[in-house]
Amino acid sequence: MADEKTLELSKKDRQAVAWRHQFLQGSWNYERMQNGGWCFAMIPAIKKLYPNKEDQAAALKRHLEFYNTHPYVSAPVIGVTLALEEERANGAEIDDVAIQGVKVGMMGPLAGVGDPVFWFTVRPILGALGASLAMSGSVVGPLLFFIAWNAIRMWFLWYTQEVGYQQGREITKDMSGGMLGKITEGASILGMFIIGALVERWVSISFTPVVSQITQQDGAYIDWSKISGDAEGIKAALTQYAALGVNGLDQVKVVTLQQNLDQLIPGLAAVGVTLACCSLLKKKVSPIAIILGLFAIGIAGRVIGLL
């Protein structure tokens, strides 16, 4: 091995690693989790840094150890590892234990950042925007989600890998200053806010039992006996409907249980069902069982006239 730093990973080499790193979970296994995908991503760098076949084999072997973290926040870990391998190839006193220790030390804290940032914040926001456009009949909806999501994902993988590579071992010092905790907490709060806003939009529950029937006074409803069947009559009916609302269609105003709940807290039932499902998931109840249970409750509620 060289005494001076003559071996250096070019930008092209690091881009090759970043591209392969996208497939980190391609060979996921129960014994060592993501080690196969990690080793696959490191191959371009190992070939560049270790011309000798024996050194290459040794490097591949040490990167087949256990590894598991969120697939996106794994990028800074692989960046730091590239820097360590580069230093080692140039003669630095860095052994296998040190490299594996850095990987293990970083993958744990970073794993808790990926879920709230990506799965609970970025993806729901983009999904909601795309779904809203798709429901209006626009093909831009799915395209927006697909393009924006992959653009953010690929940019983040490359940028954080470069940060890890440039910082080297120094990046591990930032992980003890509470930075990751603040990121995780902020992303969790934002994610829960977005999910809460989407609940009322996507979860639809209507309780149909009639609570009361009120006979309305003249002028509070449309007197259909006075509406002619020509264009002027239709215009008059629409004008009155715009002024009176849905309660002005009939002389008898029917108030349902759902209308009372909406006056109290709009979306209360939807939030209650969502929280109940979350509680069951925390208790390790199977999602399939929850779905089947909701189907059964919906059918039973319809039969007895509750829903």
Side-chain angles (χ1 to χ4, degrees):
M1 295 183 182
D3 294 327
E4 301 294 333
K5 188 175 181 179
T6 57
L7 295 171
E8 186 173 357
L9 295 172
S10 65
K11 184 177 181 180
K12 183 178 180 180
D13 297 326
R14 302 195 302 274
Q15 286 176 339
V17 172
W19 171 253
R20 285 170 169 247
H21 191 223
Q22 295 185 78
F23 312 104
L24 178 65
Q25 301 196 103
S27 62
W28 193 95
N29 61 89
Y30 283 103
E31 182 180 0
R32 299 188 181 184
M33 305 296 183
Q34 299 167 333
N35 69 322
W38 175 278
C39 190
F40 173 75
M42 290 292 297
I43 288 176
I46 290 173
K47 286 184 175 180
K48 176 68 174 290
L49 296 174
Y50 302 104
N52 187 289
K53 293 294 183 180
E54 294 181 357
D55 292 336
Q56 291 179 3
L60 290 174
K61 184 177 180 180
R62 64 172 164 266
H63 287 298
L64 283 173
E65 294 295 327
F66 173 87
Y67 181 80
N68 188 52
T69 190
H70 190 282
Y72 298 164
V73 297
S74 174
V77 186
I78 207 168
V80 173
T81 304
L82 290 175
L84 294 177
E85 288 287 358
E86 188 177 86
E87 291 183 25
R88 174 170 175 155
N90 285 282
E93 296 292 334
I94 300 175
D95 57 13
D96 295 357
V97 176
I99 294 176
Q100 184 64 13
V102 170
K103 289 167 56 179
V104 173
M106 293 182 67
M107 72 182 186
L110 286 173
V113 177
D115 285 343
V117 172
F118 288 99
W119 299 157
F120 303 152
T121 303
V122 179
R123 193 160 185 160
I125 292 174
L126 294 177
L129 291 175
S132 298
L133 291 173
M135 290 180 67
S136 65
S138 175
V139 72
V140 176
L143 292 177
L144 170 68
F145 175 79
F146 179 80
I147 295 173
W149 172 254
N150 283 286
I152 293 172
R153 176 181 63 83
M154 295 178 70
W155 171 84
F156 183 84
L157 285 171
W158 169 248
Y159 177 77
T160 54
Q161 178 183 297
E162 284 295 283
V163 170
Y165 174 75
Q166 298 298 333
Q167 294 293 324
R169 287 175 292 178
E170 295 298 319
I171 196 173
T172 57
K173 296 180 181 178
D174 295 333
M175 301 179 70
S176 60
M179 179 182 66
L180 292 180
K182 294 178 181 178
I183 293 175
T184 303
E185 182 180 4
S188 299
I189 293 173
L190 178 60
M192 293 305 295
F193 176 81
I194 297 298
I195 295 299
L198 293 177
V199 165
E200 198 275 334
R201 179 181 177 86
W202 298 113
V203 181
S204 178
I205 300 176
S206 179
F207 293 100
T208 58
V210 175
V211 176
S212 62
Q213 294 182 345
I214 303 173
T215 302
Q216 302 185 90
Q217 298 179 352
D218 293 339
Y221 64 95
I222 301 174
D223 188 350
W224 294 102
S225 63
K226 298 179 180 180
I227 300 296
S228 60
D230 55 8
E232 290 297 325
I234 296 174
K235 180 179 178 181
L238 292 175
T239 302
Q240 293 182 53
Y241 178 78
L244 300 174
V246 67
N247 291 325
L249 289 174
D250 297 298
Q251 183 178 5
V252 178
K253 177 183 176 181
V254 178
V255 179
T256 64
L257 175 60
Q258 185 62 48
Q259 291 174 325
N260 281 348
L261 291 175
D262 289 340
Q263 291 178 356
L264 179 63
I265 301 178
L268 177 62
V271 172
V273 171
T274 303
L275 293 177
C277 291
C278 291
S279 177
L280 291 174
L281 289 172
K282 284 186 176 181
K283 295 178 180 178
K284 307 300 182 181
V285 178
S286 170
I288 301 298
I290 296 175
I291 294 173
L292 294 176
L294 291 175
F295 270 115
I297 293 173
I299 294 172
R302 182 66 175 178
V303 170
I304 65 177
L306 180 63
L307 298 175

